[in-house]
Amino acid sequence: GDPDGEVDEERVIEILSTCYDPEIPVNIVELGLIYGVDIEDVGEGVKVKVEMTLTAPGCGMGQVLQDDIHRKVGRLVGVVDVEVDLVFDPPWSMEKMSEAARLELGML
């Protein structure tokens, strides 16, 4: 993608796929942890809202992942605000993982 291009959902997903749950060698997009990305024009730039879940509620990694997302998405040109919402409804399940992620974890 063009680093100076406009921020769109695809670009954000691309960045999110560089974020990993420290306990699992699969990125959070492949794990199915991202429920939604919303990009809002706020005048001086865009606000990116990411809705995500964790593999388990109370997973201590939540904060680490949120910080990672804030840092990486916040670096995109034009992004002035990043909001990460943790949601547990619907709860995450293995079915949400991509086939690649399941293969990687030897779960097929």
Side-chain angles (χ1 to χ4, degrees):
D2 172 8
D4 305 315
E6 273 196 44
V7 174
D8 57 16
E9 193 172 331
E10 203 176 313
R11 188 94 182 83
V12 173
I13 295 286
E14 208 175 290
I15 297 289
L16 293 174
S17 63
T18 67
C19 299
Y20 285 78
D21 181 320
E23 294 163 6
I24 309 173
V26 173
N27 73 62
I28 60 179
V29 174
E30 296 277 351
L31 276 176
L33 295 181
I34 302 300
Y35 283 180
V37 171
D38 193 45
I39 294 162
E40 194 186 333
D41 198 332
V42 288
E44 69 280 13
V46 294
K47 173 180 178 174
V48 177
K49 197 171 158 202
V50 177
E51 204 169 88
M52 71 173 296
T53 193
L54 299 172
T55 48
C59 159
M61 291 309 148
Q63 198 50 58
V64 176
L65 288 172
Q66 280 177 286
D67 292 346
D68 203 21
I69 291 171
H70 273 279
R71 199 173 60 245
K72 288 179 173 167
V73 175
R75 267 196 228 126
L76 290 173
V77 177
V79 174
V80 289
D81 191 16
V82 181
E83 185 184 314
V84 182
D85 277 345
L86 280 183
V87 288
F88 295 102
D89 184 27
W92 181 83
S93 68
M94 302 221 165
E95 283 74 74
K96 296 195 187 325
M97 287 175 19
S98 70
E99 201 170 306
R102 287 201 286 258
L103 272 171
E104 179 76 32
L105 299 176
M107 288 171 38
L108 281 180

